[in-house]
Amino acid sequence: MSERLVRGAGVLCHISSLPNKYGIGSLGKEAYEFADFLKKSHVKYWQILPLTQTGFGDSPYQSVSCNSVNPYFIDLVALKDEGLLDEDELLSCEMPEGDIDYGTLHNERYAVLRLAYARFNVKDKDFCDYVESGEADEYATFMSLKDRYNVTFDEFPESYKYFDYLAVNEFKKSVYKSDYLFWVFLQYTFKKQWFKLKNYVNSLGIKIIGDLPLYVAYDSADVWAHPELFQLDEDLKPVKVAGVPPDYFSKTGQLWGNPLYNWEVMAANGFEWWVNRISRARELYDIIRIDHFRGLDRYYAIPSGNETAEEGDWENGPKESLFNALNEKLGELSVIAEDLGVMDEGVEKLREATGFPGMKIVLFALDGKPENPYLPHNMEENSVAYTGTHDNATCLGLLNRMDDAQFKVFKRRLRAELQKQGVICPFVTREEAVHALITSTLASPADIAVLPIQDILCLDDDARMNIPSTSHGNWRFRLISQPARIHAAILRKAVKEFNR
């Protein structure tokens, strides 16, 4: 079911984290410059987070549409070059460097994008073909309704809430040029810029690893247009919601709140919704990382209205039947299974049946247990090793939280691991220990070793991307400048040394 991945090194850096003058990373020249840095580093993989339009908490995992792309990433300079913005309008979009200010972006960016749309030729043949394809139809209709009513979809007027086709179609006609085509224009413009960038990245011999959230947001075009595919009551409210139970990291578990799928209905129509979703993801990415893969074997169902994830039941997901349907319709898939968290025999069986590589996190490895599967020397080849992910502390952030006694124990364990790997990498300070963690990760047998850009630059937790189960202050990290030549040189040397 799965294509085997080529051994190599990767870097995790989301588009939003790229530097520029306009408040958030974009598909502009800085993205091409970052790809050039990866090429100079001899890196084969660029991993990003979901490209979807962000939703609640500015999270790409809570999008208004699982098939959308994020208008914030549209390159404004390219719009100026096309004559859709003037110099003053471009200047008005400049924002301070550093962390992303989503509030200001939300209040100002769409107004500028509407100016660009007002000058765009909506009779352009390529654009008309895109409109006609219907690819952005559900998204554009949903966003037009959101613009009109500014409420969650379950508070839309009855005929729109329950997706009465005639009523929705009449509404779409009434806002066709003012709103509907604007939202289609944003998706079209992003896609045009994205595929240009992706072609460039691929021409450098680099593949893009994209991220597919398992669940969708409740207030989304997905749930609004396809309520029968979700576990909802007669009033379209979730009966149960997604999350994970209490564990080592959270005493009350994680209450995500996403609606759960009605897998029986999805199976009855051949998982058509999933086939469409994976098909679109394959257009955007070379390799797809499926987030919370364990939920496809069994998922944790929490009664709607509960304030924590302490009470819930494990229920069966689609298991192999989903992937049999995907393979039948789409052929072999290049997928990474995010198999972290509460694992059991069922998840392992599913991952082995699909052949998908799982994930190994080196920050979880040094607990002193020799059988720990995240210890680099214990990793299997068909896996993807990370120092940490977007949900973890940075390496330096974690080490800085240790007192001297704890750090001393950590150093002893890391040195023992390096010795088992046959790797010489002396270190004393916390910063040097970060480099040693990177070295150990790259030296592992895992087919791919992915390093967050924060760890490559040895940044502390001020640069952390996300703290799970929190809804404020996340997804804001942004580089102030491109990584320096020295970082490319150090990475290139390690890539060569460990045959990546």
Side-chain angles (χ1 to χ4, degrees):
M1 289 188 183
S2 174
E3 296 178 7
R4 185 65 185 268
L5 304 175
V6 175
R7 183 173 173 83
V11 173
L12 170 58
C13 180
H14 194 33
I15 300 298
S16 64
S17 295
L18 297 173
N20 67 18
K21 296 189 290 187
Y22 305 107
I24 192 169
S26 79
L27 307 179
K29 69 180 181 66
E30 290 82 8
Y32 291 81
E33 289 169 355
F34 190 78
D36 290 340
F37 160 75
L38 298 181
K39 176 65 174 176
K40 289 172 186 171
S41 305
H42 292 189
V43 164
K44 294 177 185 172
Y45 301 96
W46 179 0
Q47 182 169 336
I48 59 175
L49 301 182
L51 286 174
T52 47
Q53 179 174 318
T54 48
F56 176 74
D58 307 312
S59 171
Y61 295 89
Q62 294 283 353
S63 180
V64 295
S65 168
C66 71
N67 292 317
S68 68
V69 287
N70 195 338
Y72 288 158
F73 297 164
I74 290 172
D75 177 25
L76 301 177
V77 176
L79 295 184
K80 176 184 171 296
D81 292 343
E82 292 175 36
L84 300 180
L85 294 177
D86 64 30
E87 188 68 43
D88 287 342
E89 289 160 350
L90 186 62
L91 282 170
S92 74
C93 294
E94 291 189 6
M95 295 175 66
E97 64 183 19
D99 284 355
I100 299 163
D101 179 348
Y102 283 101
T104 299
L105 272 175
H106 181 76
N107 291 333
E108 299 180 2
R109 184 57 55 88
Y110 285 109
V112 171
L113 291 171
R114 281 192 177 274
L115 291 175
Y117 166 68
R119 297 176 183 128
F120 178 71
N121 177 17
V122 295
K123 295 182 180 179
D124 175 87
K125 185 181 182 307
D126 287 344
F127 179 68
C128 289
D129 288 345
Y130 183 74
V131 175
E132 190 67 25
S133 75
E135 182 178 303
D137 179 62
E138 288 178 4
Y139 162 84
T141 306
F142 182 74
M143 292 306 297
S144 298
L145 283 162
K146 294 284 286 182
D147 267 358
R148 169 70 63 87
Y149 295 104
N150 196 31
V151 292
T152 55
F153 86 86
D154 58 317
E155 295 180 9
F156 287 168
E158 291 278 298
S159 57
Y160 302 148
K161 170 183 174 178
Y162 290 99
F163 206 112
D164 179 285
Y165 178 78
L166 291 177
V168 170
N169 206 41
E170 282 301 311
F171 170 79
K172 187 165 73 174
K173 287 179 182 177
S174 73
V175 296
Y176 190 72
K177 193 163 184 182
S178 62
D179 291 294
Y180 178 84
L181 285 185
F182 166 67
W183 293 106
V184 178
F185 162 75
L186 297 183
Q187 298 295 292
Y188 169 79
T189 302
F190 179 108
K191 291 281 185 76
K192 185 171 69 170
Q193 293 185 1
W194 172 255
F195 289 120
K196 182 180 177 183
L197 172 63
K198 183 177 183 295
N199 286 339
Y200 180 76
V201 172
N202 290 162
S203 76
L204 300 178
I206 299 167
K207 290 189 174 183
I208 294 177
I209 302 173
D211 202 309
L212 192 82
L214 176 60
Y215 294 119
V216 302
Y218 172 66
D219 188 28
S220 66
D222 312 296
V223 178
W224 170 68
H226 305 279
E228 73 283 0
L229 301 180
F230 299 87
Q231 297 183 31
L232 308 177
D233 63 20
E234 293 178 355
D235 199 36
L236 303 186
K237 299 285 189 182
V239 177
K240 296 179 181 179
V241 296
V244 290
D247 58 17
Y248 175 81
F249 300 102
S250 175
K251 291 180 180 178
T252 59
Q254 295 180 32
L255 178 62
W256 299 334
N258 306 74
L260 296 168
Y261 296 115
N262 187 328
W263 287 114
E264 288 186 10
V265 172
M266 286 187 159
N269 67 11
F271 298 102
E272 181 183 355
W273 185 87
W274 273 95
V275 170
N276 179 56
R277 188 183 184 195
I278 296 293
S279 178
R280 290 196 186 190
R282 284 215 303 189
E283 292 177 5
L284 293 175
Y285 314 125
D286 300 301
I287 301 167
I288 302 167
R289 189 196 86 121
I290 298 181
D291 190 59
H292 197 56
F293 181 80
R294 79 100 50 247
L296 296 173
D297 175 60
R298 291 192 307 146
Y299 59 90
Y300 192 60
I302 304 162
S304 185
N306 281 21
E307 295 184 0
T308 73
E310 292 170 278
E311 294 181 16
D313 297 301
W314 287 102
E315 301 184 4
N316 285 325
K319 303 182 186 290
E320 288 182 50
S321 62
L322 171 61
F323 296 102
N324 290 335
L326 291 172
N327 281 129
E328 184 181 334
K329 300 285 178 61
L330 303 175
E332 276 195 332
L333 303 173
S334 284
V335 164
I336 297 169
E338 190 268 288
D339 55 349
L340 307 175
V342 181
M343 295 297 105
D344 56 31
E345 188 178 338
V347 189
E348 290 299 325
K349 183 180 176 183
L350 178 60
R351 194 184 61 74
E352 288 170 8
T354 60
F356 299 152
M359 290 173 55
K360 308 294 183 185
I361 311 301
V362 177
L363 285 182
F364 297 166
L366 301 167
D367 59 1
K369 298 176 182 177
E371 71 280 6
N372 189 314
Y374 299 142
L375 281 167
H377 80 272
N378 284 339
M379 295 178 187
E380 62 265 23
E381 289 183 7
N382 189 33
S383 63
V384 182
Y386 294 76
T387 48
T389 74
H390 63 277
D391 282 335
N392 302 131
T394 67
C395 284
L396 185 59
L398 182 71
L399 297 179
N400 280 344
R401 290 207 300 271
M402 295 180 184
D403 61 31
D404 289 344
Q406 291 170 323
F407 184 52
K408 186 176 180 180
V409 171
F410 177 89
K411 285 193 292 185
R412 186 177 69 247
R413 291 173 178 170
L414 180 53
R415 285 172 180 147
E417 176 59 25
L418 289 165
Q419 188 174 18
K420 278 192 172 67
Q421 293 178 275
V423 174
I424 298 172
C425 184
F427 66 94
V428 176
T429 68
R430 284 168 168 79
E431 288 77 9
E432 291 168 344
V434 172
H435 177 66
L437 281 166
I438 288 173
T439 301
S440 185
T441 304
L442 291 171
S444 73
D447 283 336
I448 299 180
V450 177
L451 311 172
I453 191 64
Q454 293 95 323
D455 291 342
I456 291 171
L457 302 180
C458 201
L459 302 177
D460 63 20
D461 265 355
D462 286 343
R464 181 169 179 166
M465 197 67 169
N466 180 51
I467 301 175
S469 293
T470 64
S471 57
H472 300 287
N474 296 315
W475 318 109
R476 300 176 66 231
F477 166 70
R478 196 159 65 106
L479 294 167
I480 293 174
S481 61
Q482 296 287 346
R485 283 189 204 172
I486 186 65
H487 296 113
I490 292 170
L491 193 49
R492 182 170 63 245
K493 181 181 178 183
V495 164
K496 183 177 181 181
E497 181 179 355
F498 300 115
N499 190 30
R500 291 199 177 275

